[in-house]
Amino acid sequence: MTVLESTTAISQRNKQSVAMQRKLTRILASDFLCLMPVCIMGFLQVAGVDISDDAYLPTGLLILPINSALNPFLYSDLPDVLLAQKSKFVS
């Protein structure tokens, strides 16, 4: 293996690592944003704050299913492809 081949292989692995980091960041951010309201309501309930049952309804019926529907999209490579096309279109 020549120096050029090893440099190319390292560069390819770095690109793959960056792509995986972006994908995991998107997944973690979306999960955090969707699950944090549930956690906050749970902690407040344990702390003795009276939370109406109506507060749980939007979370259970809207936020969590939206997160579940977005996860397959976020796990795929489609967001990276769409962002690459958008950046080509803008520039």
Side-chain angles (χ1 to χ4, degrees):
M1 179 179 267
T2 66
V3 174
L4 181 59
E5 289 173 349
S6 65
T7 304
T8 305
I10 290 171
S11 174
Q12 183 66 24
R13 273 189 264 140
N14 286 341
K15 287 180 184 179
Q16 290 173 344
S17 294
V18 168
M20 183 62 70
Q21 288 173 353
R22 272 194 228 114
K23 185 184 293 189
L24 287 173
T25 301
R26 280 192 301 265
I27 292 167
L28 288 173
S30 71
D31 288 346
F32 176 80
L33 291 174
C34 291
L35 293 174
M36 188 49 63
V38 176
C39 294
I40 290 172
M41 287 188 289
F43 288 135
L44 289 173
Q45 191 77 28
V46 169
V49 176
D50 186 32
I51 297 176
S52 170
D53 290 338
D54 294 337
Y56 292 104
L57 187 65
T59 303
L61 291 178
L62 294 174
I63 295 175
L64 295 178
I66 289 171
N67 183 37
S68 297
L70 279 177
N71 274 342
F73 172 74
L74 295 174
Y75 277 94
S76 71
D77 291 330
L78 189 59
D80 290 331
V81 172
L82 293 176
L83 289 173
Q85 288 179 352
K86 179 183 175 187
S87 66
K88 287 180 185 177
F89 181 71
V90 171
S91 59

